[in-house]
Amino acid sequence: MGSSDPYCIVKIDDETIIRTATVWKTLSPFWGEEYEVHLQPTFHSVSIYVMDEDALSHDDVIGKVCITRDMLVEHPKGFSGWVSLSEVDPDEEVQGEIHLRVEVPGSQDSRRVLCCTVLEAR
């Protein structure tokens, strides 16, 4: 009900590659952080986890967004917009969404680079 200390973790398959800065005491964080990541030809999905940093215990997962390889193929020019968070634990209710811009520029023959901009959440 009060506020959160949110940050995001970006994973390709199950490997963590990026952690955004923590935005303290807010339910509407703005990050505006942009990353470029080299994708392995065999990757299956990119997941963005929205976390709540907790200094006294383990950090809580607020929710996640999963972008599959097929979704990226369906949107060859990328996509940008608000995406609803889904639950990580089926017993937890999740509310909120994250504003992302995701694209894989270049042709299918070139080395694949994922450009991911984590803009904000609410």
Side-chain angles (χ1 to χ4, degrees):
M1 288 295 136
S3 64
S4 259
D5 300 318
Y7 66 93
C8 293
I9 292 174
V10 180
K11 294 183 177 186
I12 294 181
D13 295 327
D14 285 326
E15 182 183 352
T16 300
I17 5 198
I18 296 164
R19 184 197 191 280
T20 68
T22 300
V23 181
W24 303 102
K25 298 183 181 1
T26 183
L27 293 177
S28 298
F30 175 80
W31 290 283
E33 297 183 18
E34 183 174 315
Y35 302 96
E36 285 191 8
V37 177
H38 292 281
L39 293 173
Q40 297 298 321
T42 58
F43 92 98
H44 297 292
S45 66
V46 176
S47 299
I48 295 116
Y49 290 79
V50 180
M51 307 290 293
D52 181 15
E53 189 165 323
D54 192 338
L56 302 177
S57 66
H58 69 282
D59 296 353
D60 297 317
V61 180
I62 295 172
K64 78 171 185 174
V65 170
C66 185
I67 301 164
T68 65
R69 169 196 222 107
D70 292 340
M71 292 167 73
L72 291 172
V73 169
E74 289 173 18
H75 297 92
K77 294 185 180 190
F79 63 91
S80 178
W82 289 94
V83 182
S84 294
L85 297 174
S86 61
E87 74 279 345
V88 173
D89 179 348
D91 295 331
E92 295 288 325
E93 179 184 352
V94 174
Q95 296 179 4
E97 48 190 359
I98 188 166
H99 189 189
L100 301 172
R101 187 169 46 240
V102 179
E103 63 180 327
V104 181
S107 68
Q108 296 290 1
D109 298 334
S110 67
R111 188 165 185 197
R112 299 184 86 170
V113 175
L114 172 73
C115 295
C116 178
T117 306
V118 180
L119 294 165
E120 57 187 320
R122 59 185 178 201

